[in-house]
Amino acid sequence: MSSGTKDHAALSDIFNKDEARVDWHDETLWFVRAKRDKAAHNIPEWESLREAASQIKNNVLSNLHNYLIEFEEQAQKNGVTVHWAADAAEHNQIVHSILKEHGVNRLIKSKSMLTEECHLNEYLKQNEIEVIDTDLGERIVQLAQEPPSHIVLPCIHKKKEEIGELFHEHLGTPEGMADPVFLTAAAREHLRETFLTRKAAITGVNFAVAETGEFVVCTNEGNADMGAHLADVHIACMGIEKIIPKRKNLGVFLRLLTRSATGQPITTYSSHFKKPRPGQQMHLVLVDNGRTTQLSRPDFRNSLKCIRCAACMNTCPVYRRSGGHSYHTAVAGPIGSILAPNLDMKEYSDLPFASTLCGSCSNVCPVKINIHEQLYKWRQVIVKEGYADPTKKLAMKAMEFTLSSPFVYKNAGKVGRWFMKHAPFTVNNKLNLWYQHREMPEVPKESFEEWYKKNKKND
Amino acid sequence: MTSRAQILAKVLKNQPDTRPLPADLLTVFPAADPVQAFATVLTTIGGNFVEVSDYQAIQKYVLEHFGGQRIVSTLPELVAVSEQGWEHQDPHSYANVDLAVISAHFGVAENAALWITEDLMHQRAVPFICQQLAVVLSKKEIVQTMHDAYLKIGTADYGFGSFIAGPSKTADIEQSLVLGAHGPKGMTVFVMD
Ligand code: SF4
């Protein structure tokens, strides 16, 4: 890979070593995807909901400036302290300074992909502040010293036996115990103890309402609420794209979010935080970190409509068989592969290629992001900017050359068929990356065009 | 330039031409029997649907199932079976509450979510930290979908409010559903006329 650091294909190779696990990962995610389908089909007006969500988000992006100002003003009126962070470093410093001010060196955090994006945990650790993730899946990967591999199901790549082992080592559960009910109960004890002893809590934000200055946090476990309602200081961190115009717009998004994510009709807790409770401090950090740059790219700004439901990764055949860690970025899967190159085109130049472009991601996306089209567009940008892997560049060039000339296109197939028939070794060899993972197809005896010409007269 | 000014300037410069907000969505496929729909969804998400005729019946149920345990309630009708003067303690002290009984403004048929604001909780931590949660709901207060829910909430002011749908749960370990992740292990909804 051009960056010489990490590469999706190489990282997938690691994941693919254990074929049984890959099958299991694939099936588990497909099970979640099937639940999504059932939930969506239960709502006859599903498509108009998606359309409304998409239009609301288009409106948000087109008026973001005013909505941000309106939100800030309302939130401040409600007694919330609003901070602005241009990038990840500033976000981390702001959080750190709030903690310092309160003399806090241990805190709890509920799930927030933004803090993952900003590498907040590592930063705070370096500054000798202990962070405990309270979402069970996040706690598990935290104990394993790994990043989450999925934005909704952070430890979807882990088997219960591995989790049992981690708990045995860190929480003292009996050796060999891998029963999910038992392990969850052990985590409950451990985390409740933590909740009761921490003075500061960090949460993410699912939606922030410009009209009222409130923000909504959705969890099934109730960990965001446990943290925020027990802590003296609540810090909520959000990307600037999480704004929605009006409170009533939440009706559309809350109907779509979990049905798309896990097939549930709604999360157990959809909590609307408007004012700090008496005696509590509430801080909200608005983070840019590349979002305004993405907004400037007409081809890619739609990606900012994402509500992080993960439907696109659950449906993606590449994600399901390569695992979240192969994407080497906080948000994996199709949408992550659009967001990451915006942050660093060189480092993440491999990701837009980690897709079959089958379009399934765009089909399930509740806010109608044209995900697969954007992936295809990134490929073109990356090749043009010179960040592509040389073998991919060559293939893209050949494709462009073939597709741009009717003559070459017509004859390319002929040449290919001749080679496959007379010299298959030139195709079925190690240099052909496509063949490394696939059986080459049987060669058709004639091209579609030839077939069509011959058969047309039969009409 | 501050980060605020810098971000806002970049947003203003980069945002696309104004696109209108779509018309508000309204409920298009109402459930024939919203109470029944609510009950069905509540049961599938791990909740317990109990029809009662009056507060007397709730008291009886509570004593039968939770007698001798720590019970707090925000409902004056339940003083006979619940602790007095609990409202002004440190929120941490509710960790050993076995049952909290509160009321909801309304429920939503499509997802069995109950809208509960801070004034009905007395302490924000209560519905989350208790071991078991019970919520009293009037049958008349069941709306069809989330669109109706927000029509009902309107411009109401609150410090904190939450849609609560069933007990706390997780499926993070191999997608096995386990009730009682951090918060309540069970949720009972008492439905009255
Ligand atoms: S891109 Fe669409 S499908 Fe993917 S996580 Fe975002 S909202 Fe969900």
Side-chain angles (χ1 to χ4, degrees), chain A residues 59 62 65 72 90 134 137 160 188 192 214 220-221 247-248 255 259 268 270-272 274-275 292, chain B residues 3-4 14 19 24 110 124 129 131 147 150 154 157-159 161-162 165 168-169 172 174 182-183:
Chain A
N59 167 267
S62 74
H65 176 265
E72 180 190 41
E90 194 178 6
T134 55
K160 57 178 192 267
R188 177 185 169 97
R192 273 178 81 93
E214 72 200 296
N220 277 322
E221 299 181 6
R247 183 188 274 167
K248 64 185 171 194
R255 294 189 80 190
R259 287 188 173 97
T268 302
S270 308
S271 291
H272 300 46
K274 195 160 175 231
K275 302 170 188 170
T292 50
Chain B
S3 293
R4 178 185 185 277
N14 295 336
R19 306 272 295 266
D24 291 340
E110 70 161 323
R124 290 183 191 184
I129 200 171
Q131 303 290 330
H147 306 308
Y150 281 102
D157 191 25
Y158 44 74
S162 190
S168 156
K169 59 177 77 68
D172 273 338
E174 284 200 13
H182 305 284

Side-chain angles (χ1 to χ4, degrees), chain A residues 136 140 160-161 163-191, chain B residues 170 173-174 176-181 185:
Chain A
L136 177 58
I140 289 166
K160 57 178 192 267
E161 290 76 17
I163 297 167
E165 231 166 84
L166 278 170
F167 278 26
H168 170 62
E169 190 185 321
H170 296 276
L171 309 182
T173 52
E175 202 168 356
M177 174 51 86
D179 173 47
V181 177
F182 185 93
L183 294 178
T184 303
R188 177 185 169 97
E189 286 311 309
H190 153 67
L191 287 168
Chain B
T170 182
I173 302 178
E174 284 200 13
S176 310
L177 182 69
V178 183
L179 301 184
K185 298 172 185 165

